[in-house]
Amino acid sequence: MTLSRSLHTFHIPVMGLAYTIDSPIRVAQYGISSVISIIDDELMEKMNAFYSKKFNLPYREISKKAEDYRAKRITSYLNLVDSIVKNKFAKFKAELSESKETLEKFLATLPNTSSFKEGLSGFLNEGTLLKDNIKNYLETHLKPGDIDVNIMTKVDKDNFVKGDPLPVEFNDAHASLRGFAESDLNSSVVLSAGMNPRLYSYFENFKDFFPNSQGQLTKKIILKVSDYRSATIQGRFLAKKGLWVSEYRIESGLNCGGHAFATEGFLLGPILEEFKNKKEALIQDTHEVLVKALDQKGIDVPQQPLDLKITVQGGVGTASEHEFLLENYQVDSVGWGTPFLLVPEATSVDKQTRDLLAKAQEKDLYLSGISPLGVPFNTIKGTTNEFFKQKRINDNKAGSSCPKKFLALSKEFGPEGICTASKKYQDVKLQELESKKFEVSQNMYENAKAKITEKACLCVGLANASYLENNIPIKGQEQGVVICPGPNMAYFDKEVSLFNMMQHIYGKASVLANVNRPNMFVKELKMYMAYLQNEITTVSEDITSKQIKKWEAFKNNLLEGITYYQELFVSSISNENKQIQEELGIYKQELTALMIPEMEPV
């Protein structure tokens, strides 16, 4: 099994709905892979119109009246992005072959370990800057970054017409998948937010996800996971359908942007260690299941297991951390998300929000309860969305108008679903709370009210930045911008050029703020300890034996993680080892002293 080497050892993960909506158009020509969210078909339709005009390409509107409009909008936009990227890549190759200055600057953005860089540097060193030689080398060895897409598997709302349910294939995530499957892209879909068996089964409808006669996949599946067990379960489930997972994208449970899916106290380092040690077993076991499924379907069976990559993301912020992940855990790529929110050449963020991010300190970044999904959500204080939401609360008009309904997933009031951030939902819940106002303490009443009204309209808030950046009119209720950086944002304090960020990643320069930044593993540990402490102190119901066992297991997993890191950072070469060991020692003492509640005697 031979893996195709990417030009870069980093990728840009999906961020929000809008922040990477056009990242491939911005960076793919430089060999940088990035991920587009394909949840919001309305945003993609607007971006389709915007970029068609910008590049003087034909545009044909797909209205909501069109049959299967959601999937068709997604397909159309992805095809446009593919066409623009191919065109920009061709022009960039021509520029590289004609300009020594451009060529040298491009080489300066590549990792020193790059075989591509080594080959091109050979031409420069030998002085053989013949245009045809360079051109031939580029044609053979250079390729654009991947235009991958992301589907949050939980965002799979049922859809209705005049009260009648549509077939399941018209569910939101199903339609998103169909939009990608029917596009011209030769890339991957990243599935995040856990397992959705119905959606996974729907993959069987598209031949591009099955190997061809040469054992190649036109479209691939990437699973975003937070532990090895989840990876094996989901990988085998898909393999039984003849579907191969080409990459497991491991993300820190808490030290990430956007939704934070906490593990049961399992830390990133030990998780990566398990993947490294069991990768070959994972490949072989899944391959055996795949072979049986393909044989039953009458599809050509690959002689050898298909390619499998292990990648990681969440909290990385220095070249030494980047290199450590690549070398110690033998991952194929490292995701850099949050820092790229400060790179205008790479991500779509309005100026006001980017200024807010640059000024952010540790105290400004927090794990919130604003997501209607009911999952903790990393965000920042001082957003325009927070301003407009609070104004509505102060005016006794809490809640959103809910125009897009992608997160209208609560079936509490009926099969068509409702969003917990909507005014319709919050009005009912606030009325229910008001009727019980004198049955609870004032503190409990205020806490319950805040829990209802804190939910934000993510569908609009996570899309508005692109509209603002590109001067696209925004209709409807004012929602402002929701932004979802990870805690890592506190250590970057200015806008950065793409060139300088790449130099930073590869250790040729630094764009970090002059603040005390903890090691990424230590930062995650600290967050998990705070998470456990919060779980214990904010429990609002009678404590059960099941809850106690869960907390005890969480604590023990953290203690085992600390022991792992203490051994890891003794044996590895790092200037910060001494500081890491001191911090680990302190946290171990704090965790050991943390008391897990006991059952009250009856």
Side-chain angles (χ1 to χ4, degrees), residues 67-82:
E67 184 182 358
D68 199 21
Y69 71 88
R70 177 172 167 78
K72 288 176 180 175
R73 283 176 165 183
I74 293 167
T75 301
S76 179
Y77 179 63
L78 294 179
N79 286 345
L80 176 82
V81 173
D82 185 48

Side-chain angles (χ1 to χ4, degrees), residues 184-343:
D184 297 334
L185 293 180
N186 182 355
S187 60
S188 304
V189 56
V190 182
L191 299 172
S192 62
M195 190 166 171
N196 180 340
R198 286 197 307 183
L199 180 66
Y200 285 13
S201 298
Y202 189 52
F203 274 83
E204 293 181 84
N205 290 273
F206 308 103
K207 64 180 178 61
D208 279 1
F209 291 105
F210 294 102
N212 61 21
S213 56
Q214 286 79 44
Q216 297 170 328
L217 296 167
T218 303
K219 289 183 172 66
K220 299 175 183 178
I221 298 171
I222 296 174
L223 288 185
K224 190 191 287 188
V225 294
S226 56
D227 61 73
Y228 183 80
R229 182 174 175 272
S230 171
T232 58
I233 292 170
Q234 295 184 72
R236 285 179 67 86
F237 183 91
L238 288 162
K240 286 178 181 177
K241 301 179 180 302
L243 300 161
W244 180 257
V245 176
S246 297
E247 176 183 331
Y248 291 97
R249 186 160 285 187
I250 306 156
E251 183 171 65
S252 168
L254 291 180
N255 195 12
C256 60
H259 288 96
F261 295 90
T263 66
E264 295 175 2
F266 296 109
L267 299 173
L268 187 60
I271 291 168
L272 288 170
E273 188 74 36
E274 187 172 14
F275 271 94
K276 181 177 76 171
N277 294 335
K278 296 180 178 179
K279 180 179 179 181
E280 289 308 315
L282 176 62
I283 292 171
Q284 291 302 326
D285 292 348
T286 315
H287 175 69
E288 289 174 11
V289 176
L290 182 83
V291 165
K292 291 177 184 176
L294 291 176
D295 192 48
Q296 289 174 356
K297 289 177 179 288
I299 296 173
D300 289 333
V301 176
Q303 296 300 309
Q304 299 293 326
L306 298 173
D307 290 351
L308 176 69
K309 292 182 178 180
I310 304 293
T311 61
V312 62
Q313 58 198 42
V316 63
T318 67
S320 60
E321 289 176 350
H322 180 86
E323 196 62 33
F324 184 78
L325 292 168
L326 292 171
E327 291 187 358
N328 190 68
Y329 297 111
Q330 296 163 24
V331 296
D332 296 285
S333 181
V334 177
W336 285 67
T338 293
F340 272 100
L341 290 172
L342 292 175
V343 183

